Amino acid sequence: MDELEYDRRRRRQWLAGTARAEGVERRTLLRMMAAAGVPALAQVLAPARAFASAPGSPVPGIVKPLPAEWFVPRGTNAEMRWDTFPPHTSQVPAERFFVRNHTSTPLIDADTWRLRLFGSGLPGSAVEFSLDQLRRMPAAGVTAIVECAGNGRSFYTSQQQQSVPGTPWTLGGVGSAHWRGVRLSELLHRAGLRPDAVDVLPTGLDPEYLTADGTNLGHVRRPLPIAKALHDTLVAYEMNGEPLLPDHGAPARLVVPGWVGVASIKWLGSLEVAAEPLYSPWNTDFYRLFGAAYPPGGSAPLAEQVVKSAFELARGAVLPQGRATRLEGRSWSGSGAVRKVEISTDGGASWRPAHLRDEPRADTWTRWSYDWRPEHPGPYELRARATDRRGNTQPDTAVLNREGYLFGAVVAHPVTVA
Ligand SMILES: Nc1nc2c(c(=O)[nH]1)N[C@H]1C(S)=C(S)[C@@H](COP(=O)(O)O)O[C@H]1N2
Ligand SMILES: [Mo]
């Protein structure tokens, strides 16, 4: 599937007036809504109430505990700490998984919750499924990484002296888990998918999102091309064998393997299946690449994630001189299994292969280790550089884009030997 070609087609249809774009421009939206008599989204969504997290929580709006040993609070989000992550755990337990919330975690009553499918890409009126109904359908298990498009963003600034807005993630805006649920293709076929359907628009039940200047962009939602929806997208109700935690989308969320995290809409309330292309702010103003290196309208909407690597080590860690230290970490890519990982302990001058501790797989990360015996005291910069099976290698620098997405460059990791 070629997202660029798809987007060109979508844009042509948009210009021809045959695509829909609610929320893309507020005035346009209001005019369209008034003209078409479209009910406000809130009316068609299941009831949800915003949940106040425990008093004293470092991130209001997140429900689960966020101990400082596991998380770094970042605005409405919580970043996972790699330096305290157990190297022998392959998947991230739900309680340690990073959280990215545009607003706050809603607490949704699973008994009255319904997932509503509707739209011009379905034959008749809307179809609803309860959680029990989903659980009685054939279940599928999928291992997948969820990673924020902004993961690594802070390195544009700290490593490349470029200023970018948004959450200053280091490398902990990512997690891998086993998900279980119903394939989206199964649901779409049960609802009677029409052959001319092109987009599926999942909408979250969390509170509407207000930009910094107070514009209400509505509920978090992002069109997904039908090909990806049918290929490997999951409507997940379990994570690592347990019902989803509220913060990770209970009672059900999308899991869109390999793609930027925003595709994996949490607290799924509805799926609009459309025979015309759809837009939302999350595939127009956000989650495209804008900047000198990109076309004026931005790149195609972001889809696959880039290659990254992280050390399971504190930045600025002190390591012993004259003794072997086992450096550990992992690498991952949205477009295939990791092929090799190289380590540099001299600031990038020379590279040696890391030992891969896992048989690399396309659906999760690959753990690696490297035994290092520094002979001289002083400051060092460690680097890990991965290459995936498609031949994508982490570059020395990432090409700047306005929102600071997809920082895939090699990250310098300072340590001190003493
Ligand atoms: N409804 C809804 N879905 C959402 C979001 C959100 O704020 N609201 N955030 C998205 C983003 S940007 C990311 S990176 C992932 C994060 O998933 P997690 O919080 O389970 O780690 O959820 C995505 N799904
Ligand atoms: Mo994200």
Side-chain angles (χ1 to χ4, degrees):
M1 180 189 20
D2 182 348
E3 177 76 357
L4 189 63
E5 179 46 39
Y6 181 79
D7 187 49
R8 279 201 201 100
R9 202 166 68 223
R10 187 151 51 182
R11 229 184 273 202
R12 279 198 300 273
Q13 285 168 298
W14 161 243
L15 291 171
T18 56
R20 296 223 335 270
E22 287 138 352
V24 172
E25 257 206 36
R26 195 146 178 272
R27 277 172 302 154
T28 316
L29 166 63
L30 293 176
R31 204 175 53 231
M32 284 167 55
M33 297 253 283
V38 178
L41 260 177
Q43 284 171 249
V44 300
L45 295 170
R49 66 191 168 88
F51 185 78
S53 51
S57 167
V59 182
I62 293 182
V63 174
K64 68 183 180 181
L66 299 171
E69 314 90 83
W70 294 357
F71 293 102
V72 179
R74 300 213 183 273
T76 56
N77 318 293
E79 171 161 4
M80 188 193 80
R81 284 181 60 174
W82 276 112
D83 59 322
T84 59
F85 191 76
H88 298 285
T89 311
S90 74
Q91 304 300 310
V92 182
E95 58 276 15
R96 286 186 90 124
F97 210 90
F98 86 104
V99 181
R100 161 68 176 122
N101 280 354
H102 279 73
T103 59
S104 57
T105 295
L107 254 205
I108 295 166
D109 176 6
D111 293 334
T112 56
W113 174 85
R114 298 285 181 276
L115 175 58
R116 187 164 178 275
L117 278 72
F118 68 98
S120 57
L122 296 180
S125 46
V127 190
E128 287 191 348
F129 298 104
S130 68
L131 187 58
D132 271 354
Q133 285 173 309
L134 294 187
R135 286 184 168 278
R136 282 198 299 268
M137 292 179 194
V142 165
T143 301
I145 285 177
V146 173
E147 178 178 24
C148 194
N151 194 27
R153 176 183 283 129
S154 67
F155 298 110
Y156 278 108
T157 306
S158 64
Q159 197 163 295
Q160 302 187 173
Q161 291 77 48
Q162 293 160 330
S163 81
V164 283
T167 307
W169 302 102
T170 57
L171 285 170
V174 62
S176 183
H178 297 304
W179 310 90
R180 195 175 147 83
V182 181
R183 291 197 182 282
L184 182 51
S185 60
E186 170 89 28
L187 276 190
L188 291 173
H189 287 126
R190 280 178 192 241
L193 184 67
R194 291 167 44 120
D196 57 352
V198 295
D199 272 344
V200 176
L201 179 65
T203 297
L205 293 168
D206 40 338
E208 296 180 335
Y209 178 64
L210 302 180
T211 62
D213 69 9
T215 309
N216 185 348
L217 299 183
H219 290 279
V220 177
R221 62 200 188 285
R222 188 180 198 253
L224 184 67
I226 193 74
K228 184 67 175 173
L230 292 175
H231 176 53
D232 60 357
T233 299
L234 191 71
V235 175
Y237 47 71
E238 275 179 19
M239 181 178 183
N240 298 328
E242 304 281 344
L244 288 180
L245 291 181
D247 295 311
H248 298 293
R253 76 176 301 168
L254 280 195
V255 173
V256 183
W259 282 34
V260 287
V262 70
S264 296
I265 294 292
K266 304 193 277 188
W267 315 294
L268 208 52
S270 65
L271 292 164
E272 175 175 359
V273 186
E276 71 272 303
L278 301 176
Y279 283 97
S280 89
W282 287 268
N283 72 341
T284 51
D285 291 341
F286 308 138
Y287 301 100
R288 287 181 186 246
L289 306 177
F290 295 95
Y294 301 99
S299 69
L302 298 184
E304 279 174 4
Q305 273 284 6
V306 295
V307 194
K308 289 200 188 68
S309 303
F311 285 96
E312 292 159 2
L313 183 70
R315 295 178 67 77
V318 178
L319 304 177
Q321 175 194 359
R323 265 199 285 136
T325 293
R326 176 153 297 179
L327 303 172
E328 286 172 307
R330 23 195 118 187
S331 300
W332 61 96
S333 163
S335 50
V338 165
R339 194 179 75 208
K340 65 169 176 181
V341 180
E342 302 156 288
I343 305 294
S344 171
T345 57
D346 55 9
S350 64
W351 295 87
R352 296 184 54 77
H355 165 68
L356 302 188
R357 295 169 53 216
D358 293 310
E359 183 56 47
R361 287 163 48 149
D363 58 359
T364 188
W365 42 37
T366 301
R367 292 172 293 181
W368 44 257
S369 65
Y370 184 86
D371 291 334
W372 184 43
R373 191 191 152 103
E375 299 301 341
H376 306 289
Y380 288 79
E381 268 186 4
L382 307 179
R383 283 172 166 75
R385 176 173 74 189
T387 300
D388 70 18
R389 287 198 178 144
R390 293 249 208 101
N392 304 305
T393 297
Q394 294 185 253
D396 292 339
T397 53
V399 177
L400 178 68
N401 63 88
R402 190 184 73 195
E403 309 291 335
Y405 296 130
L406 306 187
F407 187 92
V410 172
V411 171
H413 192 112
V415 296
T416 300
V417 170

XYZ file of all heavy atoms in Angstrom, residues 62 64 76-78 97-106 146-151 169 172-175 179 202-207 209 219-221 239 244-249 253-254 259-269 282 287 305, ligand 1:
506
model
N -4.154 10.796 34.353
C -3.743 9.395 34.217
C -4.157 8.680 35.490
O -3.946 9.183 36.605
C -2.226 9.255 33.953
C -1.903 9.834 32.563
C -1.785 7.798 34.048
C -0.451 9.711 32.143
N -3.505 5.209 36.482
C -2.643 4.236 37.163
C -1.546 4.962 37.939
O -1.188 6.101 37.606
C -2.040 3.253 36.158
C -1.028 3.848 35.186
C -0.547 2.789 34.197
C 0.475 3.370 33.219
N 0.924 2.361 32.239
N 0.531 15.887 30.003
C -0.574 14.947 30.194
C -0.116 13.502 29.967
O -0.935 12.588 29.922
C -1.729 15.257 29.219
O -1.205 15.229 27.873
C -2.345 16.620 29.497
N 1.188 13.329 29.792
C 1.732 12.026 29.389
C 2.725 11.490 30.416
O 3.213 12.240 31.255
C 2.450 12.167 28.037
C 1.672 13.031 27.076
O 0.590 12.648 26.644
N 2.188 14.217 26.766
N 3.059 10.211 30.314
C 4.063 9.611 31.188
C 5.023 8.802 30.334
O 4.608 7.899 29.602
C 3.389 8.715 32.231
N 3.759 0.559 31.086
C 3.662 1.028 29.698
C 3.496 2.552 29.664
O 2.750 3.121 30.465
C 2.449 0.369 29.037
C 2.582 0.156 27.550
C 3.130 -1.019 27.044
C 2.120 1.120 26.661
C 3.221 -1.229 25.673
C 2.215 0.911 25.287
C 2.766 -0.254 24.786
N 4.165 3.227 28.743
C 4.039 4.695 28.641
C 2.593 5.073 28.328
O 1.835 4.269 27.774
C 4.989 5.246 27.566
C 4.431 5.242 26.160
C 3.979 6.430 25.572
C 4.349 4.077 25.411
C 3.457 6.441 24.277
C 3.838 4.082 24.111
C 3.387 5.269 23.549
N 2.234 6.292 28.708
C 0.879 6.786 28.424
C 0.980 8.089 27.649
O 1.707 9.005 28.046
C 0.073 7.046 29.719
C -1.343 7.531 29.376
C 0.002 5.791 30.581
N 0.255 8.160 26.565
C 0.152 9.399 25.799
C -1.331 9.765 25.711
O -2.101 9.071 25.046
C 0.750 9.201 24.400
C 0.329 10.232 23.348
C 0.883 11.619 23.638
N 0.557 12.556 22.572
C -0.126 13.693 22.759
N -0.574 14.007 23.955
N -0.351 14.505 21.752
N -1.718 10.805 26.446
C -3.104 11.274 26.447
C -3.175 12.689 25.903
O -2.469 13.570 26.396
C -3.653 11.309 27.883
C -4.097 9.949 28.389
O -4.099 8.971 27.639
N -4.476 9.891 29.646
N -4.028 12.920 24.919
C -4.262 14.300 24.484
C -4.964 15.084 25.585
O -4.740 16.275 25.754
C -5.112 14.321 23.216
C -4.320 14.054 21.967
N -3.841 12.810 21.639
C -3.914 14.891 20.981
C -3.178 12.886 20.488
N -3.210 14.137 20.069
N -5.875 14.433 26.316
C -6.594 15.112 27.397
C -6.457 14.286 28.670
O -5.467 14.398 29.369
C -8.074 15.344 27.034
O -8.695 14.093 26.768
C -8.189 16.262 25.812
N -7.436 13.436 28.955
C -7.370 12.646 30.182
C -8.065 11.310 29.955
O -8.876 11.156 29.042
C -8.033 13.405 31.328
O -9.362 13.715 30.970
N -7.723 10.369 30.801
C -8.273 9.019 30.693
C -9.737 9.010 31.128
O -10.032 9.400 32.263
C -7.466 8.058 31.585
O -6.133 7.976 31.074
C -8.086 6.666 31.617
N -10.659 8.591 30.258
C -12.052 8.471 30.688
C -12.275 7.113 31.347
O -11.588 6.148 31.022
C -12.820 8.564 29.373
C -11.891 7.959 28.365
C -10.478 8.230 28.842
N 3.542 -0.037 20.254
C 2.861 1.258 20.139
C 3.922 2.300 20.466
O 4.537 2.249 21.535
C 1.661 1.372 21.102
C 1.091 2.788 21.084
C 0.579 0.362 20.722
N 4.159 3.202 19.537
C 5.199 4.217 19.730
C 4.699 5.570 19.255
O 4.188 5.695 18.139
C 6.462 3.847 18.951
C 7.546 4.904 19.098
C 8.847 4.555 18.378
O 8.811 3.770 17.416
O 9.885 5.092 18.792
N 4.868 6.573 20.087
C 4.447 7.914 19.718
C 5.309 8.441 18.571
O 6.524 8.236 18.558
C 4.555 8.842 20.921
S 3.689 10.396 20.643
N 4.666 9.123 17.625
C 5.407 9.722 16.503
C 6.446 10.715 16.997
O 7.438 10.987 16.333
C 4.444 10.409 15.546
N 6.211 11.257 18.207
C 7.130 12.244 18.770
C 8.209 11.616 19.639
O 9.029 12.341 20.225
N 8.240 10.282 19.745
C 9.268 9.664 20.584
C 10.654 10.109 20.106
O 10.923 10.093 18.905
C 9.154 8.134 20.531
C 9.958 7.465 21.632
O 10.186 8.061 22.682
N 10.383 6.225 21.390
N 9.816 14.077 24.590
C 10.161 12.684 24.911
C 11.658 12.464 24.740
O 12.258 13.006 23.811
C 9.473 11.715 23.948
C 7.989 11.747 23.865
C 7.245 12.338 22.879
C 7.040 11.120 24.735
N 5.906 12.127 23.103
C 5.752 11.383 24.227
C 7.168 10.364 25.910
C 4.589 10.920 24.848
C 6.009 9.900 26.520
C 4.743 10.182 25.995
N 11.499 7.014 25.699
C 10.549 6.132 26.388
C 9.096 6.324 25.998
O 8.210 5.919 26.749
N 8.843 6.913 24.834
C 7.462 7.015 24.353
C 7.118 5.826 23.482
O 6.571 5.970 22.391
N 7.448 4.648 23.972
C 7.271 3.418 23.181
C 7.071 2.241 24.127
O 7.574 2.235 25.254
C 8.516 3.178 22.279
C 9.781 2.986 23.111
C 8.310 1.994 21.331
N 6.334 1.244 23.651
C 6.194 0.002 24.403
C 5.776 -1.111 23.458
O 5.208 -0.854 22.392
N -1.352 -8.129 22.437
C -2.713 -7.609 22.432
C -3.637 -8.711 21.959
O -3.258 -9.536 21.143
C -2.826 -6.413 21.467
C -1.772 -5.365 21.673
C -0.534 -5.317 21.064
C -1.822 -4.238 22.562
N 0.174 -4.215 21.517
C -0.593 -3.540 22.426
C -2.790 -3.749 23.445
C -0.312 -2.376 23.143
C -2.498 -2.586 24.151
C -1.278 -1.917 24.004
N -11.748 5.910 13.257
C -12.010 5.557 14.655
C -12.037 6.827 15.500
O -11.194 7.716 15.322
C -10.808 4.691 15.023
C -9.701 5.148 14.116
C -10.327 5.745 12.891
N -12.989 6.930 16.402
C -13.100 8.101 17.278
C -13.032 7.658 18.731
O -13.678 6.682 19.120
C -14.416 8.853 17.003
O -14.384 9.327 15.656
C -14.592 10.045 17.928
N -12.249 8.385 19.534
C -12.078 8.069 20.948
C -13.160 8.710 21.800
O -13.759 9.716 21.413
N -13.394 8.126 22.977
C -14.413 8.636 23.903
C -13.828 9.556 24.966
O -14.526 9.969 25.886
C -15.118 7.460 24.584
C -15.979 6.594 23.669
C -16.376 5.311 24.374
C -17.209 7.369 23.219
N -12.539 9.873 24.856
C -11.940 10.801 25.816
C -12.447 12.217 25.518
O -13.002 12.470 24.456
C -10.401 10.708 25.784
C -9.794 10.550 24.392
O -10.502 10.102 23.466
O -8.618 10.891 24.208
N -12.262 13.147 26.463
C -12.784 14.502 26.251
C -12.246 15.139 24.971
O -11.168 14.773 24.494
C -12.278 15.258 27.492
C -12.062 14.213 28.524
C -11.634 12.987 27.777
N -10.491 17.629 22.405
C -9.142 18.187 22.515
C -9.146 19.673 22.148
O -9.591 20.052 21.072
C -8.194 17.415 21.599
C -6.788 17.944 21.598
C -6.009 17.904 22.753
C -6.234 18.478 20.441
C -4.718 18.386 22.757
C -4.938 18.964 20.436
C -4.180 18.915 21.602
O -2.897 19.402 21.592
N -13.187 15.189 19.317
C -12.605 13.975 19.872
C -11.420 13.512 19.025
O -11.397 13.733 17.820
C -13.657 12.867 19.926
C -14.724 13.133 20.952
N -14.539 12.872 22.293
C -15.957 13.663 20.827
C -15.632 13.215 22.951
N -16.509 13.703 22.085
N -10.465 12.876 19.681
C -9.292 12.370 18.976
C -9.752 11.313 17.966
O -10.448 10.361 18.326
C -8.265 11.776 19.965
C -7.079 11.183 19.220
C -7.804 12.834 20.959
N -9.383 11.501 16.727
C -9.824 10.599 15.657
C -8.892 10.760 14.479
O -8.371 11.840 14.229
C -11.270 10.909 15.257
C -11.425 12.312 14.709
C -12.874 12.793 14.758
N -13.009 14.069 14.049
C -12.591 15.250 14.529
N -12.005 15.336 15.709
N -12.736 16.346 13.808
N -4.542 -6.683 27.005
C -3.118 -6.353 26.862
C -2.368 -7.296 27.791
O -2.690 -7.356 28.986
C -2.939 -4.898 27.296
C -1.558 -4.337 27.203
S -1.660 -2.591 27.714
C 0.032 -2.104 27.447
N -7.768 -4.485 29.208
C -7.034 -3.216 29.082
C -7.193 -2.393 30.352
O -8.272 -2.354 30.943
C -7.600 -2.389 27.933
C -7.344 -2.840 26.498
C -8.003 -1.850 25.536
C -5.861 -2.951 26.212
N -6.137 -1.716 30.764
C -6.244 -0.730 31.833
C -6.946 0.506 31.264
O -6.833 0.778 30.073
C -4.854 -0.316 32.326
C -4.024 -1.334 33.089
C -2.692 -0.706 33.512
C -4.785 -1.848 34.301
N -7.614 1.284 32.129
C -8.248 2.515 31.644
C -7.289 3.395 30.830
O -7.647 3.870 29.747
C -8.694 3.222 32.928
C -8.931 2.100 33.901
C -7.906 1.044 33.563
N -6.068 3.574 31.306
C -5.139 4.470 30.618
C -4.742 3.985 29.228
O -4.240 4.758 28.419
C -3.866 4.654 31.452
C -4.144 5.358 32.761
O -4.820 6.401 32.733
O -3.699 4.850 33.816
N -4.922 2.702 28.962
C -4.508 2.177 27.664
C -5.686 1.865 26.764
O -5.538 1.166 25.767
C -3.563 0.995 27.850
C -2.313 1.419 28.556
N -1.396 2.281 27.983
C -1.868 1.192 29.822
C -0.438 2.539 28.853
N -0.700 1.886 29.979
N -6.870 2.407 27.126
C -7.966 2.373 26.160
C -9.173 1.553 26.522
O -10.026 1.330 25.668
N -9.534 -0.658 22.234
C -8.758 0.306 21.443
C -8.339 -0.334 20.138
O -8.353 -1.553 20.005
C -7.499 0.733 22.193
C -6.435 -0.357 22.142
C -5.114 0.036 22.788
N -4.515 1.213 22.190
C -3.491 1.875 22.714
N -2.949 1.450 23.841
N -2.987 2.921 22.118
N -7.919 0.504 19.201
C -7.285 -0.037 18.004
C -5.821 -0.303 18.300
O -5.199 0.406 19.092
C -7.337 0.957 16.839
C -8.612 1.108 16.025
C -8.287 1.843 14.739
C -9.273 -0.222 15.726
N 2.650 1.314 12.850
C 2.334 2.711 12.530
C 2.519 3.616 13.740
O 2.561 3.163 14.882
C 0.892 2.810 12.010
C 0.766 2.371 10.577
C 1.486 1.380 9.968
C -0.121 2.906 9.586
N 1.095 1.269 8.657
C 0.112 2.191 8.394
C -1.085 3.917 9.591
C -0.584 2.462 7.214
C -1.779 4.174 8.415
C -1.527 3.458 7.241
N 2.602 4.923 13.461
C 2.689 5.897 14.550
C 1.552 5.666 15.544
O 0.428 5.340 15.156
C 2.642 7.344 14.004
C 3.962 7.691 13.328
C 1.475 7.545 13.044
N 1.871 5.877 16.835
C 0.949 5.522 17.912
C -0.435 6.140 17.793
O -1.433 5.537 18.216
N -0.507 7.337 17.226
C -1.803 8.022 17.168
C -2.831 7.253 16.340
O -4.036 7.451 16.493
C -1.626 9.467 16.644
C -1.253 9.469 15.159
C -2.861 10.313 16.911
N -2.362 6.342 15.480
C -3.310 5.523 14.710
C -4.076 4.571 15.628
O -5.215 4.196 15.339
C -2.557 4.728 13.628
N -3.448 4.211 16.739
C -4.037 3.213 17.640
C -4.975 3.891 18.630
O -4.669 4.036 19.822
C -2.928 2.445 18.370
O -2.158 1.709 17.438
N -6.115 4.311 18.140
C -7.072 5.101 18.928
C -7.570 4.308 20.138
O -7.991 3.160 20.013
C -8.252 5.555 18.035
C -7.749 6.538 16.959
C -9.386 6.172 18.860
C -7.286 7.893 17.476
N -7.479 4.964 21.303
C -7.911 4.340 22.564
C -9.379 4.668 22.829
O -9.946 5.569 22.212
C -7.054 4.875 23.722
C -5.548 4.672 23.519
C -4.746 4.922 24.788
C -4.433 6.379 25.039
N -3.488 6.579 26.173
N -9.987 3.967 23.760
C -11.375 4.224 24.176
C -12.283 4.368 22.962
O -13.001 5.358 22.786
C -11.448 5.484 25.052
C -10.382 5.516 26.086
C -10.265 4.665 27.140
C -9.266 6.415 26.183
N -9.153 4.990 27.871
C -8.528 6.066 27.316
C -8.832 7.506 25.403
C -7.372 6.731 27.695
C -7.683 8.180 25.790
C -6.971 7.789 26.921
N -12.219 3.365 22.133
C -12.923 3.394 20.855
C -14.434 3.528 21.083
O -15.025 2.746 21.815
C -12.613 2.061 20.164
C -12.619 1.992 18.669
C -11.742 3.077 18.071
C -12.101 0.616 18.249
N -15.033 4.539 20.466
C -16.473 4.714 20.590
C -17.179 4.387 19.294
O -18.254 3.789 19.289
N -5.870 15.202 12.783
C -4.788 14.275 13.083
C -4.180 13.633 11.834
O -3.264 12.845 11.943
C -5.272 13.231 14.096
C -5.414 13.826 15.467
C -4.456 13.843 16.450
C -6.549 14.516 16.016
N -4.934 14.499 17.562
C -6.204 14.922 17.332
C -7.810 14.835 15.529
C -7.089 15.615 18.155
C -8.686 15.537 16.352
C -8.328 15.917 17.648
N 0.706 15.149 12.479
C 1.129 13.837 11.985
C 1.346 13.801 10.479
O 1.016 12.832 9.798
C 0.170 12.734 12.476
C 0.139 12.708 13.987
C -0.882 13.309 14.696
C 1.190 12.142 14.695
C -0.879 13.338 16.083
C 1.204 12.162 16.081
C 0.161 12.767 16.777
O 0.175 12.796 18.141
N 6.600 3.680 11.429
C 7.612 4.245 12.303
C 9.013 3.988 11.748
O 9.226 3.066 10.962
C 7.505 3.612 13.695
C 6.522 4.330 14.599
C 7.104 5.641 15.131
O 8.189 6.069 14.737
N 6.368 6.271 16.024
N -8.696 8.389 22.075
C -7.384 8.591 22.079
N -6.594 7.686 21.487
C -5.248 7.850 21.471
C -4.661 9.012 22.044
C -5.509 9.926 22.704
O -5.075 10.935 23.285
N -6.866 9.694 22.691
N -3.304 9.180 21.943
C -2.654 8.505 20.811
C -1.222 8.609 20.805
S -0.592 10.072 20.221
C -0.423 7.551 21.151
S 1.263 7.653 20.996
C -1.000 6.294 21.683
C -0.410 5.963 23.051
O -0.961 4.781 23.574
P -0.744 4.433 25.117
O -1.154 5.628 25.931
O -1.554 3.222 25.386
O 0.727 4.162 25.311
O -2.408 6.364 21.807
C -3.058 7.034 20.753
N -4.482 6.884 20.892
